[in-house]
Amino acid sequence: MTATSRPPALSMRGITKAFGPVKALADADLRVERGTIHGLVGQNGAGKSTIIKILAGLFRPDRGTIEIDGEPQTHLNPRQVEARGIHIIHQDRLLVPTFTVGESLFLGHEGGFGAFGLLNRRRMQRQAGEALRRYFSGIDLPIEALIADLTTAQQKIVQITRALLNRPSILVLDEPTAALNKGEVDTLFTTLRGLRDEGISVIFISHYMQEIENLCDRVTILRNGKDVGTVDPRTTPIGDIVAMMIARDIKEMFPGRKRKIGAPALEIRDLTVKGKFEDVSLSVRRGEIVGITGLIGSGAKEFLQTIYGLRRADGGQVLIGGKRVVIDTPAKAVAHGVALVPEDRRSHGVALDLSIRENVTLSSLSRYGSMGFIHAGRERSGVDALIGELDVKAAGREVLVRKLSGGNQQKVVLAKWLSRESSVYLLDEPTVGVDVGSKVEIYQLLSRLAEKGAGILVLSTDLIELMGICDHLVVLYRGRVVAALRTAETDTDDVLKWATGAQASTRPDMPAATMPAS
Amino acid sequence: MTMAPIGTNAGPVPSRARAAQALLARFGVLIGFAAVILFFAVSSPTFLTLGNITNMLVNNVALLAMVALGMTIVIASGGIDLSVGTAVDLASMVFIMLMAAGHGLMVGLLGAIAVAAVVGAVNAILITRLRISPFLATLGVLFIGQSVQQLSSDGGNPIYLFSSDMAHKFSFIGHGSLLGISIPLWIVAVSYIGVFIVLHYARFGRYVYALGAEPGVAWYSGLRIKRDTAAIYVLSAVLAGIAGIILSCTVRCYVPLSGNAFILDAIGAAFIGTTISLERRPTVIGTLVGVLLLGIVKNGLLLVGWNFYWQQVGTGVVILLVLATSFATRRHVGEA
């Protein structure tokens, strides 16, 4: 096949789109060759989603041309786009929770399953099973399971498989890995590489630079609505790509460390939840940021949940500020000054249909009034101060949190705990789905909190992040602490060896896919 | 404060048609409200007389208003209460029984409120301890309440208080007035002002709306959601119980299973109310508008000569129209 002689699978040129006075895209180009995996990166607001929505036929560009397979397109609508073989997996399109996996996979394509409009359920189940095994061979996903009972990762796999069943010529994935664990990501990448080799073009949007580096053949960087470069990520250093995205140096991402370490803020002694983790001890002092990491199944997540009272401990002690406490509900954790920034922001972090103000003060209302009542003026000024301090980008405190970007939603979660003046912060994957700009701000905020004397424990699987912000690092493997390291004296390769068990066991390498799924 | 570098996060700017739809969604109920009043004012000469308005407020609005007020709190918290009719009936039954047995008014009132609170407490236990969904839990309590009533009234016989000796102690609650305004309306007004303050100015109200928006966030934020949920259902039942007391004092008797008539109207009124709130939340003011709209339709249809059964149809049509307009326009606006 001579790819060069044929027109590109997709060519978008000079795309301009304004919403009122705001230019979302200004003369942006995107050219995707046939049979390649093409990354698309940029901060929130750079225009990634807008250009994808234009490709999807959801927005009409003000100017610019779109060619699919060399054919100019005018007035694209979503149906035409699908007919042309372009399938888009949006970041948060939902599946029907009461359907089974099999039903969801063929939703809208039931035509082939029986005469007289009746569905041949058994055949549907069987084909669904085959499809899942073909594309995600390593993943165990019961075909009769209800969507509502699946994890976010499993739901994502169902969505992707559903798109693949349509035999797309261009597959667009908008942050598909945000909810996936390492093993699932590996399987997805293998599938995508297989599709590329079949001649399908993949457009891959991600905030994770390592994924771009591992997967993509080309990557286009958008900044402020303009493409600022298309490079080969395998030969271009990640730092250069990030620098193009944010127009500054990657080293500036992480704040400097000039913190004064004080008395212990949080001490954990031999904490145990049977079947999850055993005898985990660690200590976080005031002014200190401690990282904790481990693969799925390492027990790190459950450990954090147990400290916050979301799980009942089978043994061990928790001390806050040197005093022994028993925390068996989040309410008690909050009462002891412990804050949790949960991983699942939309279900546990912020109430999307409440305003910024209502979210920020939810855990600390007693500070904004007396006798059970809320002093509206005090609440307003308190919230405004926090919005200013955290630089939450919104039109005002009454805006619904639903309208904010992931990064700004995360700032609202942090503002909620700042409002409570918490002394211990537990953070569970604090920068998942957060753009680079907000990441930097969150790192700086954590650093400021530590300087003010808070104790901070960060769970993350982003090792660059942990190395960048933490003083100490605790690695869990299969429910036990296998390493306690000073970040200044270690590197990501070393941490990864501990986390995968390669360091501890005699086996040379522990494939991530064999780790028990959560 | 700087504005966001809008791009990916901002939806398309709503067109003029969309803006009009949004306006219709919000003010549709109020426009419908005005249209309904105009229609009845033209078709019935007595509709806009002071006598009829008072009559309507006391007979078509007051009881529903109390039940719908509790329902508003429950729906704002993301739940539903199908057992409000049971609370009305059991409060009415206990009140009349205590009065018939010759007890004092205070005993009667406290007994009625207490039995209503028990209904709410049973709901609360089923929902918070046994983790049954509010719909099924309160449906169960509704059925249990019906059986309790039939067992305590020999299979459903009304209890009448013929003796005016007994009735004089309490009939002022149903028929008396203060400063020219009848007592039931005073009770409604005080309750509405009280719940308004609680829902919009007290911490408890904020917790109610947080539960309704995302219970997971409420739990992770350290709210005591079981305690708050329990309070919500007890409050709803007590407000319905007060309606039961007003009912008994007005008709001077207890008729089994008469409270069930309020369930759907109360839910309807609360949902009609959500359409006038900017955030589409159940609010006290919104519910008041919903209750008045339903009351006016019932009263007006009676005046133009429709019988009881056709009034039900009329109420149903109004609820459907309002909700259909609201949801249809909301879908368009929401998808932008």
Side-chain angles (χ1 to χ4, degrees), chain B:
Chain B
M1 201 175 58
T2 52
M3 270 295 293
I6 302 175
T8 54
N9 307 320
V13 171
S15 65
R16 211 163 277 174
R18 285 243 168 88
Q21 269 180 340
L23 215 64
L24 183 67
R26 179 137 195 241
F27 296 107
V29 170
L30 298 176
I31 295 166
F33 200 72
V36 167
I37 291 178
L38 194 69
F39 172 79
F40 288 127
V42 170
S43 33
S44 162
T46 49
F47 179 73
L48 275 186
T49 60
L50 186 64
N52 180 59
I53 290 172
T54 312
N55 167 52
M56 176 195 78
L57 289 177
V58 173
N59 293 320
N60 299 102
V61 169
L63 296 178
L64 175 60
M66 294 303 293
V67 178
L69 185 59
M71 189 69 80
T72 304
I73 307 169
V74 173
I75 292 177
S77 77
I80 192 89
D81 188 352
L82 302 179
S83 71
V84 283
T86 301
V88 170
D89 286 333
L90 290 183
S92 167
M93 182 182 89
V94 166
F95 181 75
I96 290 291
M97 281 177 169
L98 288 171
M99 288 291 106
H103 291 287
L105 178 60
M106 261 305 150
V107 175
L109 292 177
L110 289 178
I113 300 284
V115 75
V118 167
V119 172
V122 172
N123 286 331
I125 289 167
L126 294 177
I127 293 164
T128 62
R129 299 281 158 198
L130 304 182
R131 292 166 191 260
I132 301 173
S133 78
F135 186 92
L136 294 177
T138 56
L139 186 64
V141 170
L142 164 68
F143 284 128
I144 295 168
Q146 294 190 342
S147 303
V148 168
Q149 290 177 58
Q150 280 159 344
L151 291 170
S152 10
S153 61
D154 293 331
N157 292 319
I159 305 172
Y160 296 100
L161 282 183
F162 295 111
S163 147
S164 57
D165 253 7
M166 290 173 185
H168 87 270
K169 275 191 284 195
F170 61 81
S171 76
F172 75 93
I173 295 178
H175 302 283
S177 67
L178 182 67
L179 304 175
I181 293 167
S182 79
I183 299 290
L185 295 184
W186 277 110
I187 297 174
V188 170
V190 168
S191 307
Y192 268 66
I193 291 168
V195 173
F196 178 84
I197 291 171
V198 166
L199 269 193
H200 301 290
Y201 294 101
R203 291 209 295 270
F204 177 71
R206 188 68 58 79
Y207 297 155
V208 168
Y209 284 113
L211 272 172
E214 186 55 73
V217 172
W219 175 239
Y220 272 67
S221 297
L223 307 193
R224 290 152 79 176
I225 63 177
K226 285 185 176 174
R227 186 195 63 183
D228 292 339
T229 305
I232 288 163
Y233 284 89
V234 170
L235 195 52
S236 168
V238 166
L239 288 167
I242 295 174
I245 294 172
I246 300 174
L247 176 66
S248 327
C249 294
T250 309
V251 297
R252 298 180 190 181
C253 68
Y254 155 68
V255 182
L257 309 188
S258 48
N260 290 352
F262 297 113
I263 301 171
L264 294 182
D265 285 358
I267 295 171
F271 272 106
I272 290 172
T274 62
T275 63
I276 68 160
S277 141
L278 205 56
E279 300 96 351
R280 309 275 180 176
R281 294 174 188 171
T283 58
V284 172
I285 308 253
T287 299
L288 188 62
V289 171
V291 168
L292 286 173
L293 182 62
L294 294 182
I296 286 171
V297 168
K298 279 197 177 152
N299 171 264
L301 289 177
L302 192 74
L303 288 183
V304 298
W306 289 24
N307 71 24
F308 175 77
Y309 300 102
W310 281 105
Q311 287 173 43
Q312 299 284 67
V313 175
T315 317
V317 169
V318 167
I319 294 178
L320 285 179
L321 270 180
V322 169
L323 295 185
T325 322
S326 161
F327 279 102
T329 46
R330 179 196 305 207
R331 193 153 54 234
H332 285 118
V333 176
E335 267 180 11

